[in-house]
Amino acid sequence: MRVTGTIEEVRQWMAPPRAAGQRIGLVPTMGALHVGHVSLIEEAVKRCEVVVVSLFVNPTQFGPEEDFNKYPRPFEEDLAICQRHGVDVVFTPSPSEMYPRENLTWVNVTGITEPLCGRSRPGHFRGVTTVCTKLFNIVGPDVAFFGQKDAQQATVIRRMVADLNMPLEIVVCPTFRQGDGLAVSSRNQYLSAQQRKDATAIYKALQEGRRMIEAGAVDPILVCERVEAVIRRVPAMQIEYVSLVDPETLQPVQRLDGAVLIAVAARLGPARLIDNILVDSRSS
Ligand code: AMP
């Protein structure tokens, strides 16, 4: 496994496999790797001959009040995980390598970045789409792997790649969960033992939503209220949103008669937790 922090080196390393027609896979991450990231890496190793993992806590996707400084950066552990899972190249640039001057050029996806997380995190998706564009330009992958855990991010990236004719495929991997259903996240480390237990209310609530839809519910408002009620059983949980949206447009659905994304964001102590499930109400 080779590790570099420079754009020049990663470009040099990618040239021979590209010339040889090998399939290059990129897994963009902010590090603090966990089993959820590993599931993306494993999928990349299965599908690609060369696998690049980027470890970069991207400052431009954090708001001024957010956790950029305290975001965990266990660099050596991350490298060991990459090594164990067959990663070929780790790209771990510094902020000044990625943003050597004031950044004047941004990639901005409109519309679908406004609801859900876009509402409470202005500028977040602009940071994500800009850094992903830079990573795609630097590494030149044939495929990039993202997690369904960040459903809005995956939809936004897919749309950006389609709208701008970027020459790569986007693969979205299922959300990896702990045994009790909690979606694995680097931010779960912020939780106390009690908060960690309380956090399972989110997945329980999502499943309750699924159960209602599969039992034939057609009114999204009723499902939404029920999901909220399950989360509210944990008094410490502050709901930011519960939304039933179309998985492509991310607009609220008026009636449950097709694929629907149930998406939740909530604050629990120091952590902001997000989760979602896709339900196809036609298959009920
Ligand atoms: P992050 O390091 O949080 O930016 O995440 C890097 C990638 O891993 C993103 O595409 C996430 O959606 C994905 N990811 C994070 N947690 C999970 C999980 N529990 N299951 C699947 N993918 C995940």
Side-chain angles (χ1 to χ4, degrees):
M1 186 176 83
R2 292 185 289 181
V3 182
T4 181
T6 73
I7 293 167
E8 195 188 331
E9 212 160 24
V10 83
R11 281 218 169 109
Q12 272 172 17
W13 293 350
M14 289 304 111
R18 185 172 309 112
Q22 292 188 319
R23 208 166 157 75
I24 299 172
L26 171 67
V27 183
T29 81
M30 298 203 300
L33 299 183
H34 52 58
V35 284
H37 297 117
V38 168
S39 68
L40 269 56
I41 292 173
E42 282 174 347
E43 194 58 33
V45 168
K46 230 182 276 170
R47 292 179 185 233
C48 301
E49 284 141 310
V50 177
V51 172
V52 182
V53 170
S54 60
L55 306 175
F56 181 58
V57 185
N58 173 37
T60 65
Q61 70 189 69
F62 286 78
E65 306 296 313
E66 294 184 356
D67 56 346
F68 175 72
N69 286 323
K70 78 165 186 181
Y71 199 85
R73 293 165 170 85
F75 183 61
E76 294 304 323
E77 285 94 324
D78 285 349
L79 291 188
I81 290 171
C82 289
Q83 175 92 57
R84 265 205 308 282
H85 291 89
V87 171
D88 299 288
V89 170
V90 176
F91 178 48
T92 176
S94 63
S96 61
E97 179 74 8
M98 290 296 276
Y99 300 104
R101 61 194 86 80
E102 185 194 356
N103 204 57
L104 299 180
T105 308
W106 300 93
V107 180
N108 197 21
V109 176
T110 58
I112 55 174
T113 53
E114 282 156 26
L116 307 176
C117 293
R119 205 150 278 153
S120 66
R121 305 189 72 189
H124 168 70
F125 288 110
R126 186 185 80 154
V128 170
T129 44
T130 300
V131 81
C132 285
T133 300
K134 286 166 75 72
L135 290 169
F136 297 165
N137 284 336
I138 292 163
V139 175
D142 299 288
V143 200
F145 297 82
F146 291 84
Q148 177 64 24
K149 159 79 168 47
D150 299 278
Q152 187 173 15
Q153 171 174 280
T155 302
V156 167
I157 295 287
R158 271 202 166 131
R159 185 58 187 251
M160 172 187 84
V161 165
D163 283 354
L164 296 181
N165 310 93
M166 293 183 176
L168 78 160
E169 181 191 344
I170 299 298
V171 171
V172 180
C173 301
T175 302
F176 197 96
R177 300 180 181 283
Q178 239 112 53
D180 59 9
L182 179 67
V184 183
S185 163
S186 308
R187 290 188 167 99
N188 293 350
Q189 310 183 14
Y190 300 156
L191 301 173
S192 68
Q194 182 58 48
Q195 287 165 342
R196 168 65 189 78
K197 274 188 209 149
D198 287 347
T200 58
I202 293 179
Y203 188 57
K204 284 188 197 127
L206 288 170
Q207 281 186 306
E208 179 64 17
R210 184 203 299 278
R211 194 195 57 72
M212 278 181 82
I213 294 171
E214 288 178 351
V218 289
D219 184 350
I221 295 173
L222 292 181
V223 176
C224 195
E225 283 172 358
R226 182 86 195 106
V227 172
E228 287 185 7
V230 176
I231 298 174
R232 286 221 177 82
R233 283 189 208 144
V234 174
M237 192 90 80
Q238 288 174 284
I239 296 175
E240 193 181 284
Y241 63 75
V242 173
S243 290
L244 277 77
V245 299
D246 177 288
E248 288 305 311
T249 65
L250 304 180
Q251 290 306 307
V253 292
Q254 305 304 323
R255 203 184 140 78
L256 295 164
D257 57 4
V260 64
L261 183 78
I262 314 180
V264 172
R267 288 196 167 276
L268 184 58
R272 179 178 180 276
L273 304 173
I274 59 169
D275 199 354
N276 67 87
I277 54 171
L278 262 172
V279 184
D280 193 344
S281 43
R282 280 168 307 205
S283 63
S284 53

